[in-house]
Amino acid sequence: MSTRIAPDVVRVIYRHLELIGNRTRLDLILYTRGGDVLTPWRLVNLIREYTEHFSVLVPFRAYSAGTLLCLGADEIVMGKMGELGPIDPSIINAFNPQDPSNPSARLPVSIEDVYSYMTLIAEKMGNYDEGTMARAFLLLAEKIHPLALGNVQRNWLLIRSLAHKMLGLRRGALTAEQVQNIVEYLTEKLYAHNHMIARREAKEDIGLPVTYADNELNNMLWAIYEDVAADLKLAEPFNPVEIMRGNRTEFEVASGLVESEYGSDYFVFSGVVERKDYPDTGQVNVNINKQGWRTL
């Protein structure tokens, strides 16, 4: 069971910030595999209502939308295992191609894959030819709905605009050249959405405002990560067969956490596991009845 950065977390973090109150500086320890790309903009603006200096501490993964959130921080503190990632999202909407293995689902379309396809055609031709490019685009439009391609273009512009705006929230201004290098690196120059950016690459190659956590801080951050990972069972795949008790078992699984000195909020899935008469033995049916944040 997994969660992603989404707009509903803004209200949860607001509750914690109200309890914390205004501080000279605020630190956010972040672990995420990604999520909605618009939420980091709202989150960073909210956090800056309470502090003049905002730092993000990355003990392990802060991918995609997590990396975008880091761009809005005055300081990115990365441990030895700290990882950032590209910010080029994959787009899913009603006009995307159907998933052959699941007709009710839609396949994601990678923004950079679309642009790389057109770039490939242009570069392999040697000389730019409008007729060839037009035929290449028509072939693409036969596979991907034109409105899905239009959505790709909008999000191509959006992610670059957001990255520029996030970097503009920093107290220490970057030069236009630095900003452009960061945006291009994170959207175009890594070539793989699952590329893992270690702290040395983030600081020296990309030019992000990264601070290396010293050994003491690194150990503290990793201990916090391991504590959360154990709490949310991040290393344990959700296996409904293992929790079956009889033919019907109710369950709750916590898969997200916002925590401060004033308490904890968990994102909890509640559901039922039922054993049905399937052709293959050992199969069960899982129904999620409720999901949402719960304050403890």
Side-chain angles (χ1 to χ4, degrees):
M1 308 295 283
S2 63
T3 55
R4 58 197 293 273
I5 292 178
D8 59 345
V9 79
V10 178
R11 177 188 58 82
V12 178
I13 290 180
Y14 171 64
R15 185 183 78 83
H16 285 267
L17 290 171
E18 280 289 285
L19 293 170
I20 293 169
N22 287 15
R23 299 289 179 94
T24 303
R25 63 179 298 153
L26 283 173
D27 296 341
L28 172 68
I29 301 176
L30 180 65
Y31 174 88
T32 180
R33 304 297 289 267
D36 173 54
V37 296
L38 291 172
T39 301
W41 170 252
R42 184 67 188 95
L43 272 177
V44 175
N45 275 282
L46 175 64
I47 292 170
R48 288 194 175 278
E49 295 283 346
Y50 297 85
T51 188
E52 294 182 356
H53 185 95
F54 170 47
S55 297
V56 178
L57 289 74
V58 184
F60 193 12
R61 299 182 175 116
Y63 294 163
S64 193
T67 299
L68 195 60
L69 192 154
C70 289
L71 297 186
D74 299 304
E75 180 185 34
I76 308 168
V77 181
M78 297 181 69
K80 295 176 181 177
M81 281 289 291
E83 297 173 358
L84 305 179
I87 58 174
D88 58 315
S90 292
I91 307 303
I92 298 180
N93 64 29
F95 299 101
N96 279 34
Q98 283 186 334
D99 185 343
S101 61
N102 183 7
S104 64
R106 299 286 174 172
L107 293 171
V109 176
S110 168
I111 292 175
E112 292 305 322
D113 282 350
V114 171
Y115 281 90
S116 294
Y117 166 72
M118 298 304 294
T119 301
L120 172 67
I121 301 300
E123 290 182 350
K124 292 303 180 183
M125 287 184 337
N127 295 320
Y128 183 86
D129 177 78
E130 289 186 359
T132 302
M133 294 300 293
R135 288 192 295 272
F137 185 80
L138 286 173
L139 180 61
L140 180 64
E142 289 177 3
K143 303 295 183 181
I144 302 175
H145 196 287
L147 292 183
L149 292 174
N151 191 246
V152 164
Q153 170 67 5
R154 282 200 306 134
N155 280 275
W156 188 88
L157 296 171
L158 171 64
I159 198 65
R160 282 156 180 76
S161 172
L162 279 174
H164 278 89
K165 289 168 69 176
M166 294 294 285
L167 290 167
L169 293 176
R170 301 184 63 255
R171 292 179 66 198
L174 299 171
T175 67
E177 184 179 357
Q178 288 174 313
V179 170
Q180 190 64 25
N181 182 67
I182 291 171
V183 174
E184 288 184 358
Y185 209 107
L186 293 176
T187 56
E188 300 176 17
K189 295 182 178 179
L190 294 176
Y191 305 114
H193 188 70
N194 59 353
H195 180 86
M196 296 169 287
I197 304 171
R199 61 185 185 178
R200 188 178 302 278
E201 181 180 10
K203 182 174 184 176
E204 297 180 6
D205 296 342
I206 303 178
L208 289 169
V210 169
T211 298
Y212 293 0
D214 60 25
N215 287 335
E216 182 181 6
L217 179 56
N218 177 78
N219 293 339
M220 289 173 62
L221 289 174
W222 191 251
I224 291 172
Y225 163 73
E226 288 194 315
D227 181 62
V228 172
D231 193 12
L232 299 181
K233 300 181 180 179
L234 296 182
E236 301 176 30
F238 176 69
N239 186 348
V241 175
E242 292 181 353
I243 64 175
M244 281 293 297
R245 301 293 183 269
N247 290 326
R248 187 179 189 276
T249 304
E250 295 183 354
F251 70 90
E252 288 189 339
V253 177
S255 61
L257 171 65
V258 175
E259 189 172 45
S260 72
E261 59 186 305
Y262 294 98
S264 305
D265 287 89
Y266 287 86
F267 192 88
V268 179
F269 289 94
S270 301
V272 176
V273 180
E274 295 179 291
R275 196 180 304 278
K276 299 284 188 177
D277 292 328
Y278 288 106
D280 297 328
T281 58
Q283 289 192 2
V284 297
N285 185 52
V286 180
N287 288 314
I288 303 298
N289 300 325
K290 185 179 179 181
Q291 57 183 329
W293 291 98
R294 184 181 302 174
T295 300
L296 298 181

